[in-house]
Amino acid sequence: MKPKTVISLGIMAIALAVLSYFVGQWSYSWLPPQASAESILVDKLFSTLVAIGTFILLGVTGVITFSILFHRAGRYDTSDGPPIEGNTTVEIVWTVIPFLTVIYLAYFSYQTYQAMNIQAPGHMHGAIDPVEKMADTSATTPMTNIEVEGKQWAWTFRYPEKNVTSTELHLPVDQRAHFVLRSPDVIHGFYIPAFRVKQDIIPFEDTDFEFTPIREGKYRLRDSMFSGTYFAAMQADVVVESQEEFQDWLNNAARQTPTPAPNQAASEYARRQQKDEQFGWKTVPPAPAPMVNFHS
């Protein structure tokens, strides 16, 4: 290969790498706000995948486009192109580069997974902070313990410290939260997009889960699994607030007498039962509305 060609390819590769890097940085804006320490790690991995994917996509399509425009065979030329079989240099390049790319992505993903401290269901987690800047915080502040029940179709959160139950999840900012997830019926998915965390809940088993909220605000918890007819209504607000506001809310909720919480699935099912029209399908009746100290 001529030196001029090598230099031209090198310049194009550098330009493509720079463009891919900026697309990877741009990908941060495609996602919800980073509201947990884990979201910083996940977004960094996502940005890297987008940058590498952009480089491959533009590189391949660029070569194909260039070949079509400038190296087309003549109208009546039916001869074969120059053979590349036996070109050791080319075979080494297209074998080594993808291999190293896959190894790097596997290592990067594993390091991210380890830093998030996600373990198999049933195992207790240590208070390892996923982000360096949170390490001191998690080591010096207590952990928020919350029991979560997901059932068809409502979320209930219980704070054992005060024996408080709620349909709204409250968390103190910059404090690692430990959850014990339970389900009395089917598989549910504990998923908060702004936190980039998701954990399946296995029926009749306790599943431990942890993350660290780092940004105050109100977010949305969704059921990521199709858990039945009204699963789309299985959502709850997640409120991240200061330690003082969290304690005030907890103390105020502890003084309230438990009452049935509004439940969208139960309301829709009741309206369905009142109609004269006979539907052609059967459905599972929603569980009774949870009795909680606090509901939104």
Side-chain angles (χ1 to χ4, degrees):
M1 186 176 292
K2 298 179 180 179
K4 183 178 179 181
T5 303
V6 174
I7 294 174
S8 299
L9 291 176
I11 293 175
M12 286 189 289
I14 292 173
L16 190 57
V18 173
L19 176 62
S20 301
Y21 170 78
F22 283 107
V23 173
Q25 294 300 305
W26 181 33
S27 69
Y28 283 100
S29 64
W30 305 345
L31 304 170
Q34 295 176 330
S36 74
E38 288 74 11
S39 64
I40 299 175
L41 300 168
V42 173
D43 288 2
K44 186 177 180 181
L45 175 61
F46 179 74
S47 175
T48 302
L49 292 172
V50 170
I52 293 176
T54 301
F55 186 88
I56 295 173
L57 174 64
L58 296 182
V60 171
T61 54
V63 170
I64 293 174
T65 304
F66 180 80
S67 300
I68 292 175
L69 293 177
F70 301 105
H71 293 279
R72 298 178 65 179
R75 185 174 182 180
Y76 300 107
D77 183 1
T78 59
S79 62
D80 295 332
I84 58 174
E85 183 179 358
N87 191 323
T88 306
T89 302
V90 172
E91 291 184 357
I92 290 176
V93 168
W94 71 29
T95 300
V96 172
I97 292 178
F99 175 76
L100 294 178
T101 302
V102 171
I103 294 298
Y104 169 73
L105 291 178
Y107 176 77
F108 193 3
S109 302
Y110 178 74
Q111 290 296 317
T112 301
Y113 190 80
Q114 269 203 324
M116 292 176 67
N117 195 29
I118 296 177
Q119 300 181 18
H123 291 261
M124 297 298 293
H125 293 224
I128 300 175
D129 200 17
V131 178
E132 185 176 356
K133 74 170 187 175
M134 301 297 299
D136 293 336
T137 302
S138 67
T140 57
T141 57
M143 184 178 296
T144 309
N145 293 295
I146 304 168
E147 298 174 2
V148 180
E149 183 182 66
K151 61 183 179 181
Q152 292 172 312
W153 288 268
W155 295 102
T156 305
F157 311 100
R158 179 175 179 271
Y159 297 78
E161 177 189 352
K162 295 284 188 178
N163 193 27
V164 165
T165 52
S166 171
T167 56
E168 193 173 77
L169 177 59
H170 282 247
L171 298 170
V173 69
D174 293 340
Q175 181 170 306
R176 196 157 179 80
H178 172 254
F179 299 86
V180 178
L181 310 176
R182 300 189 179 102
S183 168
D185 39 51
V186 299
I187 298 177
H188 296 280
F190 184 87
Y191 176 47
I192 307 174
F195 293 175
R196 315 287 195 275
V197 292
K198 174 185 174 300
Q199 176 62 58
D200 293 345
I201 307 176
I202 309 302
F204 312 111
E205 290 187 11
D206 288 354
T207 302
D208 297 290
F209 193 51
E210 290 183 2
F211 59 79
T212 306
I214 60 172
R215 179 171 178 166
E216 294 185 27
K218 180 178 284 189
Y219 309 97
R220 200 66 172 164
L221 165 64
R222 305 176 189 279
D223 185 1
S224 61
M225 304 293 289
F226 179 71
S227 56
T229 307
Y230 303 100
F231 92 101
M234 193 170 170
Q235 302 185 26
D237 287 332
V238 181
V239 179
V240 180
E241 53 203 352
S242 66
Q243 180 68 36
E244 294 75 17
E245 291 174 329
F246 171 73
Q247 285 299 331
D248 290 343
W249 171 83
L250 196 61
N251 293 332
N252 179 58
R255 290 191 292 268
Q256 299 183 28
T257 303
T259 56
N263 184 270
Q264 182 179 346
S267 300
E268 292 185 10
Y269 182 78
R271 289 199 298 270
R272 180 178 186 270
Q273 294 298 99
Q274 292 173 357
K275 291 183 178 179
D276 295 333
E277 181 183 358
Q278 296 297 319
F279 292 88
W281 70 86
K282 295 184 180 297
T283 186
V284 177
M291 299 286 289
V292 295
N293 300 92
F294 181 89
H295 56 75
S296 54

